[in-house]
Amino acid sequence: YLRSLSPAVTVLGGTRLRDDDPAVHVAEEVARRLAKEGVPTRAGGPGPFSVALARGGHSGSKYLPQ
């Protein structure tokens, strides 16, 4: 099953981070850069970290699913 998945970067953790944590801003920028290269990101939980990954990914590539 794992071999059938497309390559992606998965991030686990970060549910205790706050919206103003510097790591959240870095995650968004990293997701944006990965999306421009065609690499989707996945978050392993809810919270500001996963929101930042989705926000960065969608702004990096208009058609890249997150």
Side-chain angles (χ1 to χ4, degrees):
Y1 170 74
L2 293 177
R3 290 178 193 227
S4 68
L5 296 175
S6 61
V9 173
T10 302
V11 179
L12 303 173
T15 56
R16 294 184 182 179
L17 295 175
R18 296 175 9 162
D19 291 337
D20 61 348
D21 192 295
V24 173
H25 301 291
V26 170
E28 184 174 346
E29 180 59 28
V30 168
R32 181 178 295 112
R33 291 180 186 199
L34 287 169
K36 286 183 179 181
E37 296 297 321
V39 179
T41 55
R42 300 181 189 127
F49 207 60
S50 62
V51 170
L53 289 175
R55 191 171 47 232
H58 287 295
S59 63
S61 175
K62 186 173 181 181
Y63 301 105
L64 186 65
Q66 297 295 308

